[in-house]
Amino acid sequence: MKKTGLIFDMDGVILDSEIQYFKVHQQMFRTLAIPLDRVQYATFMGKTGDEMWQELITQHDLPHSTESLLALEHELFQQHAKPEECGLKDGVHELMALARTEGYKVAIASSSSLEKIKRVITHYGLTVDAYTSGFEVPRSKPDPAIFRLAAQRIDQAPEACIVIEDAANGMIGAKEAGMEVIALLDERMPTQILHHADHVVSSHAAIGEILRNR
């Protein structure tokens, strides 16, 4: 089937924010005396923050509530990882422009809140046809619901969509939704499990080549 939908994850794919979140979490882990397991941390990427903290509270018997840790996380993100200060990943605007030239509808499917997604779109002048948040579906990534909703909002069949993801949880969800998956690597971040990806690249320019060569 001809591919006519291109769905971007946001953090780590559009916004160069995952590295900032990682630094904040490293700081929090030190404060909480939690050892940083990079393999485990990779499993948190793409999920909502409450899922990560619930798992860590149980695992390490932390004397904190999920709500208190989320509040601290949010405070630190506002200090060190504001969307307006993270910047875009190299080549985002160019790739979105190419996708339109090649006839794709463009969407964002992010575990972040709708408010944050809108902030990023507005601040960076992104031109997208639709966006979805993990807060709009019963379960976020790796559940496929967010991707199916994104496809619906750009009026595309799931099998006609390509998803760009940097996290294994997103790749799993996109594959379960019946979509083609491009994994975008970042050598600064913990290594992801990539066997759900159809393509593995390290730049937006390489994704552009995949689109051009169809």
PDB file of all heavy atoms in Angstrom, residues 21-48:
ATOM      1  N   TYR A  21      15.441  15.838  29.656  1.00  0.00           N
ATOM      2  CA  TYR A  21      14.679  15.034  30.618  1.00  0.00           C
ATOM      3  C   TYR A  21      15.593  14.019  31.300  1.00  0.00           C
ATOM      4  O   TYR A  21      15.482  13.779  32.515  1.00  0.00           O
ATOM      5  CB  TYR A  21      13.542  14.287  29.920  1.00  0.00           C
ATOM      6  CG  TYR A  21      12.534  15.156  29.225  1.00  0.00           C
ATOM      7  CD1 TYR A  21      11.773  14.659  28.176  1.00  0.00           C
ATOM      8  CD2 TYR A  21      12.331  16.477  29.607  1.00  0.00           C
ATOM      9  CE1 TYR A  21      10.840  15.444  27.528  1.00  0.00           C
ATOM     10  CE2 TYR A  21      11.404  17.269  28.960  1.00  0.00           C
ATOM     11  CZ  TYR A  21      10.662  16.746  27.920  1.00  0.00           C
ATOM     12  OH  TYR A  21       9.740  17.527  27.280  1.00  0.00           O
ATOM     13  N   PHE A  22      16.487  13.431  30.523  1.00  0.00           N
ATOM     14  CA  PHE A  22      17.409  12.436  31.066  1.00  0.00           C
ATOM     15  C   PHE A  22      18.291  13.062  32.145  1.00  0.00           C
ATOM     16  O   PHE A  22      18.509  12.480  33.211  1.00  0.00           O
ATOM     17  CB  PHE A  22      18.260  11.866  29.925  1.00  0.00           C
ATOM     18  CG  PHE A  22      19.164  10.729  30.318  1.00  0.00           C
ATOM     19  CD1 PHE A  22      18.740   9.743  31.197  1.00  0.00           C
ATOM     20  CD2 PHE A  22      20.443  10.637  29.782  1.00  0.00           C
ATOM     21  CE1 PHE A  22      19.580   8.685  31.542  1.00  0.00           C
ATOM     22  CE2 PHE A  22      21.275   9.585  30.123  1.00  0.00           C
ATOM     23  CZ  PHE A  22      20.848   8.613  31.008  1.00  0.00           C
ATOM     24  N   LYS A  23      18.777  14.272  31.897  1.00  0.00           N
ATOM     25  CA  LYS A  23      19.621  14.959  32.879  1.00  0.00           C
ATOM     26  C   LYS A  23      18.831  15.273  34.157  1.00  0.00           C
ATOM     27  O   LYS A  23      19.349  15.132  35.273  1.00  0.00           O
ATOM     28  CB  LYS A  23      20.192  16.232  32.276  1.00  0.00           C
ATOM     29  CG  LYS A  23      21.237  15.982  31.191  1.00  0.00           C
ATOM     30  CD  LYS A  23      21.699  17.283  30.556  1.00  0.00           C
ATOM     31  CE  LYS A  23      22.733  17.026  29.462  1.00  0.00           C
ATOM     32  NZ  LYS A  23      23.140  18.284  28.784  1.00  0.00           N
ATOM     33  N   VAL A  24      17.575  15.708  34.000  1.00  0.00           N
ATOM     34  CA  VAL A  24      16.728  15.973  35.164  1.00  0.00           C
ATOM     35  C   VAL A  24      16.506  14.695  35.959  1.00  0.00           C
ATOM     36  O   VAL A  24      16.607  14.683  37.196  1.00  0.00           O
ATOM     37  CB  VAL A  24      15.377  16.579  34.735  1.00  0.00           C
ATOM     38  CG1 VAL A  24      14.357  16.530  35.878  1.00  0.00           C
ATOM     39  CG2 VAL A  24      15.560  18.023  34.274  1.00  0.00           C
ATOM     40  N   HIS A  25      16.218  13.609  35.262  1.00  0.00           N
ATOM     41  CA  HIS A  25      15.970  12.350  35.956  1.00  0.00           C
ATOM     42  C   HIS A  25      17.236  11.827  36.635  1.00  0.00           C
ATOM     43  O   HIS A  25      17.163  11.256  37.733  1.00  0.00           O
ATOM     44  CB  HIS A  25      15.404  11.311  34.989  1.00  0.00           C
ATOM     45  CG  HIS A  25      13.994  11.594  34.602  1.00  0.00           C
ATOM     46  ND1 HIS A  25      13.508  11.366  33.332  1.00  0.00           N
ATOM     47  CD2 HIS A  25      12.952  12.125  35.308  1.00  0.00           C
ATOM     48  CE1 HIS A  25      12.230  11.714  33.281  1.00  0.00           C
ATOM     49  NE2 HIS A  25      11.879  12.176  34.466  1.00  0.00           N
ATOM     50  N   GLN A  26      18.393  12.028  36.020  1.00  0.00           N
ATOM     51  CA  GLN A  26      19.644  11.644  36.671  1.00  0.00           C
ATOM     52  C   GLN A  26      19.789  12.383  38.002  1.00  0.00           C
ATOM     53  O   GLN A  26      20.187  11.790  39.016  1.00  0.00           O
ATOM     54  CB  GLN A  26      20.835  11.962  35.760  1.00  0.00           C
ATOM     55  CG  GLN A  26      21.008  10.991  34.604  1.00  0.00           C
ATOM     56  CD  GLN A  26      22.163  11.384  33.703  1.00  0.00           C
ATOM     57  OE1 GLN A  26      22.233  12.505  33.209  1.00  0.00           O
ATOM     58  NE2 GLN A  26      23.079  10.463  33.483  1.00  0.00           N
ATOM     59  N   GLN A  27      19.477  13.667  37.995  1.00  0.00           N
ATOM     60  CA  GLN A  27      19.545  14.470  39.222  1.00  0.00           C
ATOM     61  C   GLN A  27      18.561  13.960  40.270  1.00  0.00           C
ATOM     62  O   GLN A  27      18.908  13.810  41.444  1.00  0.00           O
ATOM     63  CB  GLN A  27      19.235  15.932  38.898  1.00  0.00           C
ATOM     64  CG  GLN A  27      19.201  16.848  40.106  1.00  0.00           C
ATOM     65  CD  GLN A  27      18.826  18.269  39.729  1.00  0.00           C
ATOM     66  OE1 GLN A  27      18.985  18.696  38.585  1.00  0.00           O
ATOM     67  NE2 GLN A  27      18.302  19.022  40.687  1.00  0.00           N
ATOM     68  N   MET A  28      17.331  13.651  39.845  1.00  0.00           N
ATOM     69  CA  MET A  28      16.331  13.147  40.776  1.00  0.00           C
ATOM     70  C   MET A  28      16.714  11.780  41.323  1.00  0.00           C
ATOM     71  O   MET A  28      16.536  11.497  42.517  1.00  0.00           O
ATOM     72  CB  MET A  28      14.963  13.085  40.091  1.00  0.00           C
ATOM     73  CG  MET A  28      14.366  14.441  39.771  1.00  0.00           C
ATOM     74  SD  MET A  28      12.702  14.314  39.055  1.00  0.00           S
ATOM     75  CE  MET A  28      11.746  13.753  40.489  1.00  0.00           C
ATOM     76  N   PHE A  29      17.245  10.921  40.476  1.00  0.00           N
ATOM     77  CA  PHE A  29      17.654   9.591  40.922  1.00  0.00           C
ATOM     78  C   PHE A  29      18.737   9.692  41.990  1.00  0.00           C
ATOM     79  O   PHE A  29      18.720   8.962  42.981  1.00  0.00           O
ATOM     80  CB  PHE A  29      18.165   8.755  39.743  1.00  0.00           C
ATOM     81  CG  PHE A  29      17.079   8.152  38.884  1.00  0.00           C
ATOM     82  CD1 PHE A  29      15.842   8.773  38.723  1.00  0.00           C
ATOM     83  CD2 PHE A  29      17.300   6.966  38.206  1.00  0.00           C
ATOM     84  CE1 PHE A  29      14.858   8.222  37.922  1.00  0.00           C
ATOM     85  CE2 PHE A  29      16.311   6.400  37.407  1.00  0.00           C
ATOM     86  CZ  PHE A  29      15.092   7.036  37.268  1.00  0.00           C
ATOM     87  N   ARG A  30      19.692  10.615  41.798  1.00  0.00           N
ATOM     88  CA  ARG A  30      20.749  10.794  42.798  1.00  0.00           C
ATOM     89  C   ARG A  30      20.150  11.255  44.129  1.00  0.00           C
ATOM     90  O   ARG A  30      20.511  10.750  45.195  1.00  0.00           O
ATOM     91  CB  ARG A  30      21.773  11.814  42.304  1.00  0.00           C
ATOM     92  CG  ARG A  30      22.739  11.282  41.253  1.00  0.00           C
ATOM     93  CD  ARG A  30      23.907  12.211  41.043  1.00  0.00           C
ATOM     94  NE  ARG A  30      23.496  13.493  40.489  1.00  0.00           N
ATOM     95  CZ  ARG A  30      23.421  13.775  39.201  1.00  0.00           C
ATOM     96  NH1 ARG A  30      23.746  12.843  38.302  1.00  0.00           N
ATOM     97  NH2 ARG A  30      23.053  14.963  38.774  1.00  0.00           N
ATOM     98  N   THR A  31      19.225  12.209  44.055  1.00  0.00           N
ATOM     99  CA  THR A  31      18.593  12.731  45.269  1.00  0.00           C
ATOM    100  C   THR A  31      17.817  11.642  46.003  1.00  0.00           C
ATOM    101  O   THR A  31      17.810  11.575  47.234  1.00  0.00           O
ATOM    102  CB  THR A  31      17.649  13.897  44.921  1.00  0.00           C
ATOM    103  OG1 THR A  31      18.394  14.923  44.281  1.00  0.00           O
ATOM    104  CG2 THR A  31      16.979  14.456  46.170  1.00  0.00           C
ATOM    105  N   LEU A  32      17.167  10.763  45.250  1.00  0.00           N
ATOM    106  CA  LEU A  32      16.352   9.697  45.829  1.00  0.00           C
ATOM    107  C   LEU A  32      17.154   8.437  46.141  1.00  0.00           C
ATOM    108  O   LEU A  32      16.595   7.460  46.635  1.00  0.00           O
ATOM    109  CB  LEU A  32      15.211   9.339  44.865  1.00  0.00           C
ATOM    110  CG  LEU A  32      14.182  10.446  44.584  1.00  0.00           C
ATOM    111  CD1 LEU A  32      13.319  10.082  43.379  1.00  0.00           C
ATOM    112  CD2 LEU A  32      13.316  10.682  45.818  1.00  0.00           C
ATOM    113  N   ALA A  33      18.459   8.477  45.836  1.00  0.00           N
ATOM    114  CA  ALA A  33      19.338   7.315  46.050  1.00  0.00           C
ATOM    115  C   ALA A  33      18.882   6.098  45.248  1.00  0.00           C
ATOM    116  O   ALA A  33      18.944   4.952  45.718  1.00  0.00           O
ATOM    117  CB  ALA A  33      19.445   6.970  47.533  1.00  0.00           C
ATOM    118  N   ILE A  34      18.414   6.347  44.022  1.00  0.00           N
ATOM    119  CA  ILE A  34      18.029   5.278  43.108  1.00  0.00           C
ATOM    120  C   ILE A  34      19.179   5.059  42.128  1.00  0.00           C
ATOM    121  O   ILE A  34      19.635   6.001  41.483  1.00  0.00           O
ATOM    122  CB  ILE A  34      16.761   5.649  42.310  1.00  0.00           C
ATOM    123  CG1 ILE A  34      15.576   5.875  43.236  1.00  0.00           C
ATOM    124  CG2 ILE A  34      16.442   4.561  41.285  1.00  0.00           C
ATOM    125  CD1 ILE A  34      14.354   6.395  42.505  1.00  0.00           C
ATOM    126  N   PRO A  35      19.669   3.838  41.983  1.00  0.00           N
ATOM    127  CA  PRO A  35      20.716   3.598  40.981  1.00  0.00           C
ATOM    128  C   PRO A  35      20.151   3.780  39.576  1.00  0.00           C
ATOM    129  O   PRO A  35      19.016   3.384  39.289  1.00  0.00           O
ATOM    130  CB  PRO A  35      21.120   2.138  41.229  1.00  0.00           C
ATOM    131  CG  PRO A  35      19.929   1.523  41.905  1.00  0.00           C
ATOM    132  CD  PRO A  35      19.301   2.614  42.721  1.00  0.00           C
ATOM    133  N   LEU A  36      20.919   4.414  38.720  1.00  0.00           N
ATOM    134  CA  LEU A  36      20.474   4.629  37.340  1.00  0.00           C
ATOM    135  C   LEU A  36      20.791   3.394  36.513  1.00  0.00           C
ATOM    136  O   LEU A  36      21.962   3.107  36.243  1.00  0.00           O
ATOM    137  CB  LEU A  36      21.144   5.861  36.739  1.00  0.00           C
ATOM    138  CG  LEU A  36      20.836   6.114  35.263  1.00  0.00           C
ATOM    139  CD1 LEU A  36      19.343   6.400  35.060  1.00  0.00           C
ATOM    140  CD2 LEU A  36      21.666   7.262  34.715  1.00  0.00           C
ATOM    141  N   ASP A  37      19.777   2.664  36.151  1.00  0.00           N
ATOM    142  CA  ASP A  37      19.902   1.499  35.281  1.00  0.00           C
ATOM    143  C   ASP A  37      19.507   1.963  33.877  1.00  0.00           C
ATOM    144  O   ASP A  37      18.337   2.196  33.596  1.00  0.00           O
ATOM    145  CB  ASP A  37      18.968   0.393  35.770  1.00  0.00           C
ATOM    146  CG  ASP A  37      19.063  -0.874  34.943  1.00  0.00           C
ATOM    147  OD1 ASP A  37      19.430  -0.782  33.752  1.00  0.00           O
ATOM    148  OD2 ASP A  37      18.745  -1.944  35.468  1.00  0.00           O
ATOM    149  N   ARG A  38      20.489   2.120  32.991  1.00  0.00           N
ATOM    150  CA  ARG A  38      20.211   2.674  31.655  1.00  0.00           C
ATOM    151  C   ARG A  38      19.281   1.768  30.853  1.00  0.00           C
ATOM    152  O   ARG A  38      18.490   2.245  30.048  1.00  0.00           O
ATOM    153  CB  ARG A  38      21.519   2.910  30.899  1.00  0.00           C
ATOM    154  CG  ARG A  38      22.377   4.015  31.511  1.00  0.00           C
ATOM    155  CD  ARG A  38      23.699   4.153  30.778  1.00  0.00           C
ATOM    156  NE  ARG A  38      23.535   4.701  29.443  1.00  0.00           N
ATOM    157  CZ  ARG A  38      23.588   5.994  29.135  1.00  0.00           C
ATOM    158  NH1 ARG A  38      23.806   6.891  30.096  1.00  0.00           N
ATOM    159  NH2 ARG A  38      23.462   6.409  27.892  1.00  0.00           N
ATOM    160  N   VAL A  39      19.377   0.456  31.075  1.00  0.00           N
ATOM    161  CA  VAL A  39      18.482  -0.475  30.377  1.00  0.00           C
ATOM    162  C   VAL A  39      17.043  -0.254  30.840  1.00  0.00           C
ATOM    163  O   VAL A  39      16.119  -0.174  30.031  1.00  0.00           O
ATOM    164  CB  VAL A  39      18.916  -1.937  30.622  1.00  0.00           C
ATOM    165  CG1 VAL A  39      17.895  -2.898  30.022  1.00  0.00           C
ATOM    166  CG2 VAL A  39      20.290  -2.186  30.027  1.00  0.00           C
ATOM    167  N   GLN A  40      16.859  -0.138  32.159  1.00  0.00           N
ATOM    168  CA  GLN A  40      15.518   0.118  32.675  1.00  0.00           C
ATOM    169  C   GLN A  40      15.029   1.490  32.226  1.00  0.00           C
ATOM    170  O   GLN A  40      13.868   1.643  31.843  1.00  0.00           O
ATOM    171  CB  GLN A  40      15.496   0.041  34.200  1.00  0.00           C
ATOM    172  CG  GLN A  40      14.098   0.260  34.791  1.00  0.00           C
ATOM    173  CD  GLN A  40      14.101   0.328  36.309  1.00  0.00           C
ATOM    174  OE1 GLN A  40      15.060   0.810  36.912  1.00  0.00           O
ATOM    175  NE2 GLN A  40      13.031  -0.141  36.927  1.00  0.00           N
ATOM    176  N   TYR A  41      15.904   2.490  32.258  1.00  0.00           N
ATOM    177  CA  TYR A  41      15.489   3.840  31.879  1.00  0.00           C
ATOM    178  C   TYR A  41      14.985   3.857  30.437  1.00  0.00           C
ATOM    179  O   TYR A  41      14.016   4.554  30.121  1.00  0.00           O
ATOM    180  CB  TYR A  41      16.643   4.841  32.043  1.00  0.00           C
ATOM    181  CG  TYR A  41      16.189   6.266  31.844  1.00  0.00           C
ATOM    182  CD1 TYR A  41      15.627   6.990  32.889  1.00  0.00           C
ATOM    183  CD2 TYR A  41      16.272   6.882  30.600  1.00  0.00           C
ATOM    184  CE1 TYR A  41      15.176   8.286  32.713  1.00  0.00           C
ATOM    185  CE2 TYR A  41      15.830   8.176  30.409  1.00  0.00           C
ATOM    186  CZ  TYR A  41      15.287   8.876  31.471  1.00  0.00           C
ATOM    187  OH  TYR A  41      14.819  10.162  31.268  1.00  0.00           O
ATOM    188  N   ALA A  42      15.606   3.085  29.579  1.00  0.00           N
ATOM    189  CA  ALA A  42      15.159   3.024  28.182  1.00  0.00           C
ATOM    190  C   ALA A  42      13.715   2.554  28.083  1.00  0.00           C
ATOM    191  O   ALA A  42      12.976   2.972  27.191  1.00  0.00           O
ATOM    192  CB  ALA A  42      16.075   2.110  27.375  1.00  0.00           C
ATOM    193  N   THR A  43      13.293   1.704  29.036  1.00  0.00           N
ATOM    194  CA  THR A  43      11.910   1.207  28.996  1.00  0.00           C
ATOM    195  C   THR A  43      10.912   2.277  29.423  1.00  0.00           C
ATOM    196  O   THR A  43       9.716   2.136  29.176  1.00  0.00           O
ATOM    197  CB  THR A  43      11.724  -0.026  29.902  1.00  0.00           C
ATOM    198  OG1 THR A  43      11.824   0.352  31.282  1.00  0.00           O
ATOM    199  CG2 THR A  43      12.751  -1.092  29.584  1.00  0.00           C
ATOM    200  N   PHE A  44      11.384   3.336  30.078  1.00  0.00           N
ATOM    201  CA  PHE A  44      10.494   4.417  30.496  1.00  0.00           C
ATOM    202  C   PHE A  44      10.252   5.413  29.370  1.00  0.00           C
ATOM    203  O   PHE A  44       9.249   6.136  29.378  1.00  0.00           O
ATOM    204  CB  PHE A  44      11.085   5.174  31.691  1.00  0.00           C
ATOM    205  CG  PHE A  44      11.243   4.363  32.937  1.00  0.00           C
ATOM    206  CD1 PHE A  44      12.353   4.524  33.763  1.00  0.00           C
ATOM    207  CD2 PHE A  44      10.288   3.428  33.310  1.00  0.00           C
ATOM    208  CE1 PHE A  44      12.502   3.793  34.920  1.00  0.00           C
ATOM    209  CE2 PHE A  44      10.423   2.675  34.471  1.00  0.00           C
ATOM    210  CZ  PHE A  44      11.538   2.857  35.276  1.00  0.00           C
ATOM    211  N   MET A  45      11.155   5.487  28.420  1.00  0.00           N
ATOM    212  CA  MET A  45      11.041   6.488  27.352  1.00  0.00           C
ATOM    213  C   MET A  45       9.802   6.220  26.502  1.00  0.00           C
ATOM    214  O   MET A  45       9.540   5.092  26.096  1.00  0.00           O
ATOM    215  CB  MET A  45      12.304   6.483  26.488  1.00  0.00           C
ATOM    216  CG  MET A  45      13.532   7.017  27.200  1.00  0.00           C
ATOM    217  SD  MET A  45      15.036   6.839  26.225  1.00  0.00           S
ATOM    218  CE  MET A  45      14.630   7.839  24.763  1.00  0.00           C
ATOM    219  N   GLY A  46       9.045   7.274  26.278  1.00  0.00           N
ATOM    220  CA  GLY A  46       7.808   7.151  25.514  1.00  0.00           C
ATOM    221  C   GLY A  46       6.584   6.969  26.381  1.00  0.00           C
ATOM    222  O   GLY A  46       5.459   7.112  25.902  1.00  0.00           O
ATOM    223  N   LYS A  47       6.785   6.636  27.661  1.00  0.00           N
ATOM    224  CA  LYS A  47       5.663   6.488  28.586  1.00  0.00           C
ATOM    225  C   LYS A  47       5.385   7.820  29.282  1.00  0.00           C
ATOM    226  O   LYS A  47       6.180   8.749  29.220  1.00  0.00           O
ATOM    227  CB  LYS A  47       5.981   5.423  29.651  1.00  0.00           C
ATOM    228  CG  LYS A  47       6.068   4.000  29.133  1.00  0.00           C
ATOM    229  CD  LYS A  47       6.259   3.035  30.293  1.00  0.00           C
ATOM    230  CE  LYS A  47       6.271   1.587  29.837  1.00  0.00           C
ATOM    231  NZ  LYS A  47       6.423   0.650  30.973  1.00  0.00           N
ATOM    232  N   THR A  48       4.247   7.891  29.961  1.00  0.00           N
ATOM    233  CA  THR A  48       3.954   9.066  30.772  1.00  0.00           C
ATOM    234  C   THR A  48       4.752   8.984  32.071  1.00  0.00           C
ATOM    235  O   THR A  48       5.115   7.897  32.533  1.00  0.00           O
ATOM    236  CB  THR A  48       2.456   9.169  31.089  1.00  0.00           C
ATOM    237  OG1 THR A  48       2.025   7.959  31.716  1.00  0.00           O
ATOM    238  CG2 THR A  48       1.648   9.384  29.809  1.00  0.00           C
TER     239      THR A  48
END
